[in-house]
Amino acid sequence: MEELKFEELGLSTEIIKAVKYMGFEEASPIQSKAIPVIMSGRDVIGQAQTGTGKTAAFGIPLLEKIDPKNKKLQAIVLCPTRELAIQVADEIRNLAKYLHGIKVLPIYGGQEIVKQIRSLKSGVQLVIGTPGRVMDHMRRRTMKMEDVHTIVLDEADEMLNMGFREDIETILEGIPKEHQTVLFSATMPKAIMEITKQFQKDAQLVKVTKKELTVPNIEQYYYEVRPKNKDEVLSRLLDIYTPKLSVVFCNTKKQVDILVNTLLGRGYFAAGLHGDMKQAQRDRVMQGFRSGKTDILVCTDVAARGIDVDDVEAVFNYDLPQDDEYYVHRIGRTGRAGRVGRSFSFVSGRELYKLKEIQRYCKTKIFAQKVPSLNDVANTKMGNVLDQVERIIEAEDLSRFIEAIEERVNEEDYTTMDIAAAFLKLCSGYDENKNAEMEFEDTGAQEPGMVRLFINIGKKNKAKPGDIVGAIAGESGISGKLIGTIDMFDKYTFVEVPREHAKSVIEAMKNTKIKGKQIVVEPANQK
């Protein structure tokens, strides 16, 4: 079955608007098959692996069926882990972006139950929870089941492997007799079939099997990057690796347009490709990319289907793909015709869990990399220029140029080394002011190689050391593990960071707030 447009699935305008906003241009195979069946009210057995878009496959029909005027619990999604419960809740909230009055709540062990009880009392129509915590709320009568009309078992095989069978059966027995049961599982072991026989009526099997995908000869890396720093990190990687042609993937058409403008503003030759463009525009963009007039192509997954260019040296996942299978399709744009390619993925926060799923699915290793500093970029550029110089020395007659330099050396008080250094600076675009590390006097750091920084926030502002670490790591992109001693006082704090990161930390923390207070960061003991 071919992927359908979301408009062809008979969805409300609010849901269609939300999926378009999220960047989905077509329904995935599991969505195309499962959404109409689930919306018909039938029990469903969905066989699909993680990363096929199954969350939207059951999330969209759930949202279509929930009555926003009724503030009582109407649907439950059971997930094996807290991470998956949070992830599913986030995606369903995004799908409900334009639906007013629908409240979604993730509940799981490890979070204060009192907080969950308060949220449930305020009126929640959809709960995404782990079996143990859902049962706990059922026992306490803090989850009232009278109006529940749909229950979804997500990754049912995983829940059974984790020993949740009895919990699941208790929950299924505790909801109204007249309800719809939707079960999703990557595999169909005997235990799953027993549950379907016992708790489902005339269930329809919806099956999507993923093709076996092999990852070609591609070096794969990832960087932990805050969303607002992605542009800068992308620029540094482009400058360091200088790929002849590269493809940058975004999840939405809007992000493609924004990123193209940003790259053009930074002096790169970039063009965008997405579903809203007319065929003539797309052909022009692809012609420019194939001929090398454009060396960076920014696109969505759907638009990328027609790209068939052998010389792509690097693929950037500016946004992680929604579907694991797309990851393989994306990075397969490089490493063609026996060449070695590189792929770079940007992740932030909980996207690390998604990256682990991708690695498991692709049976591949994606290596963590440190974000290159401005000095790394400058040194790489100089190295590239020197490599070119070496090739020219070996291959070309330079006598005419040697004469010109000797003439200038005789006329001026320069050495040949001065002239060579000036040429290197000119050719590598090295900006001393931009790349120079800040010179620090003795800041009183307790550890060698560290710089002590002053921050104008303390205990009286209800700040804690974790807030300081989180802000520095989040804003500057350095790992929290690199942050040293923190001395916190009533109105200010001292924190130690590695000398090589001190300048970037001070720069990154400008215009940052901690606990609602605008903060100032400066080297300690400096006037």
Side-chain angles (χ1 to χ4, degrees):
M1 180 175 180
E2 288 294 312
E3 288 100 327
L4 298 174
K5 295 282 183 189
F6 283 100
E7 291 86 348
E8 296 175 85
L9 294 172
L11 305 177
S12 63
T13 52
E14 291 84 1
I15 292 284
I16 289 170
K17 195 175 170 187
V19 294
K20 295 291 182 192
Y21 181 83
M22 289 166 75
F24 297 117
E25 294 182 54
E26 292 176 346
S28 71
I30 191 66
Q31 291 161 4
S32 299
K33 285 184 175 183
I35 288 173
V37 184
I38 298 173
M39 283 176 66
S40 74
R42 283 189 68 174
D43 286 356
V44 172
I45 304 167
Q47 186 169 0
Q49 288 127 316
T50 301
T52 49
K54 64 182 169 59
T55 302
F58 62 74
I60 288 171
L62 279 182
L63 292 171
E64 293 280 19
K65 287 177 71 181
I66 287 171
D67 177 6
K69 290 174 188 165
N70 178 359
K71 299 301 174 190
K72 292 180 182 176
L73 181 64
Q74 297 172 50
I76 299 168
V77 179
L78 294 180
C79 299
T81 64
R82 60 179 286 174
E83 289 79 23
L84 186 62
I86 292 165
Q87 192 179 309
V88 169
D90 283 347
E91 187 160 347
I92 291 179
R93 279 198 197 103
N94 288 334
L95 290 166
K97 182 178 175 70
Y98 300 102
L99 294 167
H100 301 294
I102 293 181
K103 196 168 173 191
V104 180
L105 179 71
I107 62 168
Y108 45 84
Q111 188 187 47
E112 284 182 36
I113 198 159
V114 178
K115 188 180 172 188
Q116 293 174 357
I117 292 169
R118 200 182 308 128
S119 297
L120 286 163
K121 279 184 178 171
S122 69
V124 171
Q125 293 105 331
L126 174 56
V127 158
I128 322 288
T130 51
R133 187 49 69 98
V134 169
M135 261 187 55
D136 200 352
H137 282 288
M138 285 174 72
R139 277 197 300 266
R140 291 167 183 257
R141 296 284 298 153
T142 45
M143 268 177 68
K144 306 284 196 320
M145 301 297 196
E146 293 79 13
D147 286 48
V148 172
H149 52 63
T150 311
I151 185 161
V152 177
L153 277 60
D154 190 15
E155 298 198 3
D157 49 356
E158 274 299 304
M159 287 195 281
L160 293 184
N161 290 340
M162 293 168 74
F164 285 131
R165 178 166 180 163
E166 285 182 19
D167 294 5
I168 291 168
E169 289 177 351
T170 304
I171 294 164
L172 289 168
E173 285 163 0
I175 57 178
K177 196 174 179 185
E178 290 304 312
H179 70 266
Q180 181 183 15
T181 305
V182 176
L183 181 147
F184 273 92
S185 184
T187 58
M188 288 291 156
K190 190 180 170 197
I192 293 279
M193 299 317 293
E194 286 169 4
I195 283 182
T196 63
K197 278 178 196 160
Q198 188 178 348
F199 293 101
Q200 289 187 304
K201 287 180 244 167
D202 190 27
Q204 182 166 334
L205 177 65
V206 176
K207 190 173 180 180
V208 172
T209 51
K210 285 186 165 188
K211 299 180 286 292
E212 274 299 310
L213 293 169
T214 54
V215 177
N217 189 23
I218 298 165
E219 297 169 8
Q220 299 169 67
Y221 306 108
Y222 77 88
Y223 298 82
E224 283 192 67
V225 183
R226 277 176 74 85
K228 68 176 187 178
N229 296 334
K230 285 183 181 181
D231 298 343
E232 177 61 27
V233 175
L234 176 61
S235 300
R236 291 183 191 184
L237 292 173
L238 287 167
D239 290 346
I240 278 184
Y241 289 99
T242 59
K244 182 180 174 185
L245 295 176
S246 54
V247 180
V248 184
F249 283 96
C250 300
N251 286 348
T252 67
K253 295 172 277 190
K254 184 179 172 185
Q255 185 59 64
V256 168
D257 292 336
I258 292 168
L259 183 56
V260 168
N261 287 332
T262 301
L263 289 171
L264 291 171
R266 287 176 176 240
Y268 298 98
F269 295 101
L273 200 67
H274 58 64
D276 277 357
M277 295 167 66
K278 293 189 174 75
Q279 192 58 47
Q281 286 177 288
R282 293 163 74 132
D283 290 344
R284 266 199 310 275
V285 168
M286 281 309 301
Q287 183 52 41
F289 187 59
R290 285 195 180 94
S291 66
K293 284 180 185 172
T294 300
D295 45 31
I296 303 165
L297 185 66
V298 185
C299 57
T300 57
D301 289 295
V302 171
R305 286 177 187 173
I307 301 173
D308 189 20
V309 180
D310 283 342
D311 293 332
V312 175
E313 292 179 6
V315 167
F316 296 88
N317 291 305
Y318 189 89
D319 299 319
L320 271 190
Q322 305 283 351
D323 188 319
D324 299 349
E325 199 168 307
Y326 283 168
Y327 176 83
V328 182
H329 292 319
R330 285 180 178 191
I331 69 170
R333 305 289 164 196
T334 183
R336 293 190 172 192
R339 298 180 180 90
V340 175
R342 290 190 180 98
S343 79
F344 307 93
S345 297
F346 297 165
V347 298
S348 59
R350 288 200 295 270
E351 286 181 336
L352 275 170
Y353 294 113
K354 178 72 181 163
L355 194 77
K356 284 176 185 169
E357 278 176 19
I358 288 170
Q359 290 188 78
R360 276 198 301 272
Y361 168 59
C362 300
K363 300 181 180 68
T364 187
K365 183 75 179 160
I366 306 171
F367 297 96
Q369 292 286 94
K370 183 184 159 198
V371 172
S373 68
L374 288 170
N375 271 341
D376 294 334
V377 175
N379 291 336
T380 303
K381 282 183 175 179
M382 286 191 279
N384 290 340
V385 171
L386 289 170
D387 288 343
Q388 284 178 285
V389 165
E390 212 170 288
R391 286 193 290 272
I392 291 169
I393 290 170
E394 288 172 3
E396 298 187 27
D397 177 13
L398 300 174
S399 52
R400 182 180 166 191
F401 302 96
I402 290 169
E403 284 171 20
I405 287 173
E406 283 175 344
E407 197 176 305
R408 184 55 64 97
V409 167
N410 291 332
E411 286 175 6
E412 306 287 347
D413 190 19
Y414 302 139
T415 65
T416 50
M417 195 64 78
D418 291 333
I419 292 177
F423 268 126
L424 180 57
K425 181 177 179 182
L426 185 70
C427 296
S428 63
Y430 184 82
D431 181 345
E432 205 162 349
N433 294 323
K434 188 179 177 187
N435 294 285
E437 294 292 342
M438 187 180 284
E439 290 300 318
F440 295 101
E441 296 167 17
D442 180 17
T443 58
Q446 295 172 32
E447 296 176 56
M450 303 291 273
V451 168
R452 198 172 196 228
L453 302 178
F454 167 88
I455 306 179
N456 64 333
I457 191 170
K459 293 175 186 173
K460 284 199 171 173
N461 305 99
K462 296 183 179 174
K464 294 177 183 172
D467 299 321
I468 304 293
V469 171
I472 292 174
E475 295 297 329
S476 69
I478 75 166
S479 167
K481 292 174 188 172
L482 296 177
I483 297 168
T485 307
I486 297 176
D487 294 321
M488 189 166 267
F489 299 90
D490 283 348
K491 294 183 179 176
Y492 55 88
T493 299
F494 290 109
V495 58
E496 293 185 15
V497 299
R499 183 172 290 272
E500 64 269 24
H501 294 296
K503 183 185 177 187
S504 59
V505 167
I506 291 169
E507 286 295 315
M509 298 294 278
K510 284 178 181 173
N511 305 318
T512 298
K513 289 185 178 180
I514 299 177
K515 294 291 180 186
K517 178 179 168 65
Q518 184 74 50
I519 61 159
V520 174
V521 180
E522 57 192 23
N525 298 343
Q526 286 206 341
K527 300 286 185 270

